[in-house]
Amino acid sequence: MIKGPNLDDTIVALATAYGKGAIAVIRLSGTKAIEIVNSCFKGKDLSKVDSHTVHYGFLMDKESIVDEVMVSLFKAPKSYTTEDIIEVSCHGSTYLQDKIVQLFIKQGARMADRGEFTLRAFLNGRVDLSQAEAVGDLINAESEKAKQVALSQMRGGFSKQIKVLREKLIHFASMVELELDFGEEDVEFADRGALSALITELQTSIHGLLNSFKLGNVIKHGVPTVIVGRPNAGKSTLLNALLQEDRAIVSDIPGTTRDTIEEVLHLEGLSFRFIDTAGIRESEDVIESAGIERTREKIDQAHVVIYLFDASTLSKEDFEADLAKLKSYDKPYLVLANKTDISSPEWLSDQALLAISAKAAEGMDEIKSNLLQLMELNNIDNNAIIISNNRHFQSLSNSAQALQDVVNAIELSISGDLLALDIRRALHSLGEITGEITPDDLLGEIFSNFCI
C-alpha cells in the first residue's frame, strides 16, 4: 500500500519491461531529474537545452563509460507527471539496466514505488483517478476493443460525464443545505419538482453506464466461450481448427479430455477465451466425473456457449434433450453439427445450426462470424462511454441507490436534513470515481497493481 509518497523526491524506475532486449528506457521524475542525469551525462549540458528534445551522449560513472545513450527531456509542467522528466534510452542488457538505475540512485534519486509515476500525475492534477486507472488498463489491454475502451477513458470522456452529473447535483445539494440554515423559518430553496426531474435525468445517465459494464467487462477480460458436447463429438478438434494449431489432444477414445483447456482467439478486436471441456455424460470414472463437474462450472461462468454434436451418430431425440439442457442455462449459444462430411441426417435441415467439419476445418469462418453476431458488436456506438472497471461499477451502483433514496424521500416529504444526507451519499460515490474523494487505502490498492 502506498502511504504518503514524498513528492519532493526524484524517483527512478525502468519504464520498459524488465528483461533482455535491443533497448531499455529508464525514467526519472522530480525536481532534481535533470541535475541527476546531467551529473553523469557526457554530451550537451541538459540544464541549458529546450524541453521535449532528445540528446546523444554517454553515461559516465566517474571516468568509466557505462553506456552510449539517448536522453529525452521533458520540462515541467509539460510532462506526464507535470514534473521534470528525463528518459534515458540505453542498450537492453539487464546488467546495464540495473547498473544505470543504481547509478542514478547513487546520484540522489529514489527507486519509484509501484505506479508512482501515474500516482504523481494524479496528485499533481495531470489526470483524475479514473484516467489514471485507464493507464493501467491500457498497459494490460490484450485486444483492440480493450485498447479503445482504455484510450477513451484516458481521454477523459467518462470523467467529464461524471463531473457534469456531480455539478448538477451539487447545485441542489447547496440549496437543500441552505434550507437547513433557515430551519426555523420553514423556507424551501430547493424546488422539489425540479430536484425530482434532475434525479430522473441522473438516474438515466447512471443506469446507462451501469448497463455498459457487462460489455465493458468482457471487452476488458475477454469473452469466456465454453465448447460443450458429448464425448468424442470433436470438441478438441474444433478448438484446434479455430486456433489453426494443435493445442488440444485429439483422440477417438471417448472421454479423452478430462479437464478444461483454455486458449484465446482474437476476432474483430475482441478476445474470445475458448474453453474446451470434458464431454457431458454420466460416468463412473472418478477423474472423468470431476472433469464433467468442472464443465458445468465453466458453463455457469461462460458468456457464450458452443454446443457441438456428432451429426453422424447422435439421434434427434438425444439432440433435443441436449438442446433443452443448453437452453436452461439462459446464455447466448451456438449449435454446431460436426462431421456432416460423413453423414447429414434429414432432421438437421429443420434445426437452427451450422453444419461443419472440424477435422477438415470447414465452417470456421461461419463460426467466427456468428460468435461476433452473438456479441452484437454492430450495435455498439463507437463514441459511447463503456465502463469496464469493477470499482467504477460499484460506485455508480451506490450512487444510483442513493439517488433512489432521494426520490423516496421527496415522495414521503422527508425532512431536509435526511434528504441532504442521501444527496451527500450520491455525491460521495460519484466523487470516488474521479478521485475528488480519495481515501489513502484506495490509492494504495489502485496504484500497487501497476508495474514497476
Side-chain angles (χ1 to χ4, degrees):
M1 182 173 71
I2 297 171
K3 292 183 178 179
N6 189 346
L7 296 180
D8 294 328
D9 289 347
T10 294
I11 56 175
V12 62
L14 189 65
T16 47
Y18 187 76
K20 187 182 295 185
I23 63 169
V25 177
I26 294 164
R27 177 185 291 159
L28 299 93
S29 180
T31 55
K32 295 184 178 180
I34 296 173
E35 176 188 330
I36 288 170
V37 177
N38 208 28
S39 68
C40 47
F41 179 65
K42 186 176 181 181
K44 285 190 176 182
D45 184 347
L46 299 177
S47 66
K48 297 179 180 178
V49 300
D50 293 333
S51 181
H52 293 71
T53 54
V54 183
H55 307 279
Y56 165 80
F58 296 88
L59 280 183
M60 309 293 294
D61 186 0
K62 296 180 180 178
E63 298 301 318
S64 300
I65 294 176
V66 177
D67 194 15
E68 185 180 22
V69 299
M70 299 294 290
V71 173
S72 303
L73 183 145
F74 308 89
K75 291 184 179 179
K78 296 182 178 180
S79 73
Y80 179 62
T81 60
T82 77
E83 303 169 336
D84 287 341
I85 282 184
I86 292 277
E87 291 184 350
V88 178
S89 299
C90 62
H91 291 94
S93 155
T94 55
Y95 166 75
L96 281 174
Q97 294 170 32
D98 293 337
K99 186 171 180 62
I100 292 171
V101 168
Q102 290 305 316
L103 175 63
F104 292 147
I105 289 174
K106 188 167 66 173
Q107 297 299 321
R110 167 175 66 78
M111 194 70 189
D113 290 327
R114 285 182 177 272
E116 190 171 354
F117 287 97
T118 304
L119 174 62
R120 288 188 176 205
F122 165 66
L123 293 176
N124 292 332
R126 171 71 171 74
V127 295
D128 67 28
L129 194 56
S130 67
Q131 289 174 300
E133 288 170 293
V135 173
D137 289 342
L138 185 60
I139 291 170
N140 294 308
E142 295 183 351
S143 70
E144 178 64 22
K145 292 291 183 185
K147 181 208 76 172
Q148 289 175 0
V149 170
L151 277 175
S152 174
Q153 291 202 3
M154 275 183 60
R155 288 196 299 266
F158 176 49
S159 301
K160 288 176 184 175
Q161 185 169 352
I162 293 300
K163 287 176 181 176
V164 167
L165 296 176
R166 203 164 183 270
E167 285 169 3
K168 289 181 177 180
L169 194 55
I170 284 173
H171 170 70
F172 270 97
S174 63
M175 292 296 101
V176 174
E177 298 281 356
L178 188 60
E179 289 178 7
L180 301 181
D181 294 335
F182 293 87
E184 296 180 0
E185 299 180 27
D186 192 27
V187 292
E188 187 177 278
F189 293 104
D191 181 85
R192 297 309 191 254
L195 179 57
S196 295
L198 174 63
I199 298 300
T200 299
E201 178 189 342
L202 298 182
Q203 285 178 318
T204 300
S205 296
I206 289 174
H207 284 302
L209 291 170
L210 288 171
N211 290 336
S212 76
F213 178 69
K214 184 176 182 181
L215 175 61
N217 200 39
V218 297
I219 287 175
K220 182 176 180 177
H221 299 290
V223 185
T225 307
V226 175
I227 304 174
V228 300
R230 299 193 176 211
N232 214 30
K235 297 184 295 297
S236 298
T237 305
L238 172 63
L239 180 61
N240 290 337
L242 286 168
L243 298 171
Q244 295 182 318
E245 56 183 316
D246 293 338
R247 300 303 294 271
I249 299 172
V250 177
S251 171
D252 291 331
I253 303 172
T256 304
T257 304
R258 294 188 170 188
D259 206 342
T260 58
I261 300 171
E262 298 194 20
E263 296 293 344
V264 176
L265 181 66
H266 299 291
L267 298 176
E268 298 289 331
L270 196 64
S271 297
F272 284 82
R273 293 194 289 108
F274 285 101
I275 306 166
D276 178 21
T277 62
I280 298 178
R281 67 171 181 182
E282 299 303 320
S283 174
E284 295 179 0
D285 185 306
V286 175
I287 298 176
E288 187 181 345
S289 295
I292 293 169
E293 182 56 37
R294 276 194 287 273
T295 296
R296 295 191 177 100
E297 292 174 1
K298 291 296 181 182
I299 294 174
D300 287 333
Q301 298 166 8
H303 190 84
V304 174
V305 180
I306 295 177
Y307 168 62
L308 183 74
F309 69 95
D310 185 343
S312 66
T313 61
L314 194 69
S315 68
K316 182 179 180 181
E317 291 72 25
D318 285 341
F319 167 80
E320 290 175 344
D322 286 352
L323 197 60
K325 290 180 183 177
L326 182 65
K327 291 178 179 178
S328 69
Y329 285 98
D330 193 27
K331 294 177 182 289
Y333 64 86
L334 189 60
V335 178
L336 307 179
N338 192 25
K339 306 181 185 179
T340 52
D341 53 335
I342 298 174
S343 176
S344 184
E346 290 185 7
W347 61 267
L348 290 183
S349 60
D350 299 327
Q351 307 296 328
L353 50 77
L354 290 178
I356 69 161
S357 171
K359 188 174 183 180
E362 294 175 357
M364 299 304 107
D365 288 342
E366 288 79 3
I367 293 173
K368 295 172 183 177
S369 176
N370 276 265
L371 285 172
L372 290 169
Q373 288 178 26
L374 286 177
M375 292 305 300
E376 299 181 336
L377 291 180
N378 292 333
N379 297 329
I380 299 175
D381 181 356
N382 290 330
N383 296 317
I385 296 172
I386 298 173
I387 64 166
S388 59
N389 185 298
N390 280 304
R391 189 183 72 83
H392 300 167
F393 179 80
Q394 189 58 56
S395 292
L396 286 168
S397 297
N398 292 340
S399 181
Q401 182 57 59
L403 290 175
Q404 186 55 49
D405 291 341
V406 173
V407 171
N408 296 339
I410 292 173
E411 291 177 350
L412 296 172
S413 299
I414 297 294
S415 62
D417 54 345
L418 295 178
L419 187 65
L421 271 176
D422 291 330
I423 295 176
R424 285 192 210 114
R425 280 172 47 222
L427 287 169
H428 181 92
S429 296
L430 291 174
E432 283 182 330
I433 295 173
T434 55
E436 292 171 79
I437 297 168
T438 320
D440 288 341
D441 56 347
L442 176 61
L443 286 182
E445 180 182 346
I446 290 172
F447 290 98
S448 65
N449 290 323
F450 277 61
C451 56
I452 181 68

